[in-house]
Amino acid sequence: MGKIETRNFGNGEISLLGFGLMRLPCLGSWEEIDRKAARALIEEAIAGGVNYFDTAYIYHVGNSESLAGETLSGYDRSAYHLATKMPLMEEVIKNAGGVDSIFNAQLERCCVDYFDFYLLHGVTADALRMIGDLKIYETLAKKKTEGRIRHLGFSFHDNPELLRRMTSDYDFDFAQIQLNYFDWEAQSAKEQYEILEGKKIPVHVMEPIKGGTLATLRPRALKIFEEADSHASAASWALRWVASLSGVQVVLSGMSAMEQLRDNIKTFTPFKPLTEEEYAVVEKALAEFKKTAAVPCTG
């Protein structure tokens, strides 16, 4: 089958496919992770070559970080790259005792003494003001100089103009944006990507399948993909479209079932960028999809 596709970053390599730990299998509610099933997914991912895992302070009400910690701590620390995020909600920060308190709790939850990648979570206009008022960037930048953060970035949920401000006001190693072939034009993803590319900031992608929407297309759109390649899933087309962009370093997928994980690993082992003919297939399927479906926002 070959080796999963990787990208160089700093002194190491990260898998082009990253595991987003936001939609782990649950037992009835989002808070209660099915820990046995989730651990099996992470272990299968590592066996398949995935070495980038993305969690956050608020995912599964903190249980995502602790699940990542208890599972990944069974592996050599050099075998995986762990990313987590600082919540940008003033009430959450205040109730937790401040930025330092949250960060230290995350280290403990994740059973590590440093994070490979650390993000300001979900930057918006209000969040950007809070970052300045509370000196959050300066606090995290200090932790980077202390070696407790290797690479500092942010995830973004706003407009291109705010992205320009964010990347002009602060110095970041990477940025995470919502990017997929539907949002490329519909949600200004193209402009955001080009802003980051122009500043030579590596792009980490969230929602490449738009919350699963692009994996479960209407029959006419699915038929277009099936006629082009009967062995490829609709999800694989979406992942390959995003990963074919030269500025993309990691494509995150929130995998909650083993069949999703195995299909995604297959897509990246080895990874084949889309050809001109395949781009045309995606455009044709997208046009058909737009005729027949109202697409929900993925938040």
Side-chain angles (χ1 to χ4, degrees):
M1 188 172 173
K3 182 177 180 290
I4 198 167
E5 185 80 8
T6 59
R7 293 287 184 264
N8 293 325
F9 199 90
N11 296 323
E13 289 189 343
I14 53 179
S15 54
L16 182 56
L17 173 63
F19 196 154
L21 304 178
M22 185 179 73
R23 297 188 177 99
L24 294 170
C26 295
L27 297 171
S29 69
W30 193 59
E31 291 86 349
E32 189 179 2
I33 296 172
D34 182 338
R35 302 183 89 81
K36 182 178 179 181
R39 283 196 297 270
L41 285 170
I42 292 174
E43 290 164 357
E44 179 86 4
I46 291 176
V50 176
N51 68 7
Y52 188 98
F53 297 88
D54 171 273
T55 183
Y57 185 73
I58 63 171
Y59 289 173
H60 295 281
V61 196
N63 291 319
S64 174
E65 286 184 332
S66 62
L67 186 281
E70 70 182 50
T71 306
L72 293 172
S73 61
Y75 296 85
D76 188 278
R77 185 64 182 86
S78 63
Y80 64 90
H81 302 281
L82 184 60
T84 194
K85 310 174 186 75
M86 175 62 60
L88 296 179
M89 294 166 280
E90 192 165 2
E91 185 176 351
V92 172
I93 292 174
K94 181 180 178 181
N95 289 343
V99 171
D100 283 311
S101 180
I102 288 175
F103 187 84
N104 291 334
Q106 290 176 300
L107 289 173
E108 185 174 350
R109 282 179 183 175
C110 294
C111 305
V112 294
D113 54 14
Y114 69 90
F115 292 111
D116 303 276
F117 296 84
Y118 197 88
L119 301 87
L120 295 165
H121 193 178
V123 174
T124 61
D126 287 341
L128 186 55
R129 285 191 290 272
M130 190 176 67
I131 290 166
D133 291 344
L134 300 184
K135 305 295 182 185
I136 296 174
Y137 175 87
E138 290 79 3
T139 300
L140 297 178
K142 182 181 178 183
K143 296 185 187 305
K144 182 181 173 184
T145 64
E146 295 169 349
R148 294 198 285 172
I149 293 173
R150 298 291 171 87
H151 307 290
L152 182 58
F154 64 98
S155 64
F156 190 77
H157 296 278
D158 215 292
N159 60 62
E161 186 53 41
L162 191 71
L163 182 59
R164 290 189 181 91
R165 282 180 51 199
M166 186 71 177
T167 54
S168 295
D169 291 351
Y170 301 103
D171 183 23
F172 288 104
D173 301 314
F174 67 103
Q176 190 164 298
I177 61 173
Q178 180 168 316
L179 180 60
N180 53 67
Y181 66 73
F182 184 94
D183 290 328
W184 187 245
E185 299 291 349
Q187 297 289 338
S188 73
K190 179 177 185 287
E191 188 175 355
Q192 291 184 31
Y193 172 80
E194 289 174 347
I195 290 168
L196 296 172
E197 187 179 41
K199 291 179 176 288
K200 300 188 184 328
I201 297 174
V203 175
H204 291 198
V205 173
M206 55 185 163
E207 302 295 350
I209 312 174
K210 200 167 177 62
T213 298
L214 302 182
T216 54
L217 301 171
R218 297 294 179 88
R220 289 183 180 179
L222 279 175
K223 186 174 177 59
I224 292 169
F225 284 135
E226 290 168 355
E227 288 176 346
D229 186 344
S230 61
H231 300 292
S233 65
S236 72
W237 283 92
L239 292 171
R240 288 179 62 212
W241 188 94
V242 168
S244 295
L245 294 166
S246 62
V248 168
Q249 189 166 68
V250 175
V251 179
L252 293 170
S253 180
M255 298 168 281
S256 56
M258 196 63 76
E259 58 266 27
Q260 296 170 354
L261 172 64
R262 289 171 178 164
D263 184 55
N264 290 353
I265 289 174
K266 177 184 174 184
T267 298
F268 288 90
T269 314
F271 170 67
K272 297 178 181 178
L274 291 181
T275 64
E276 288 187 19
E277 293 79 8
E278 288 173 325
Y279 274 114
V281 171
V282 174
E283 287 299 315
K284 185 177 178 182
L286 176 59
E288 185 59 45
F289 181 47
K290 285 180 176 179
K291 292 179 188 176
T292 57
V295 180
C297 173
T298 53

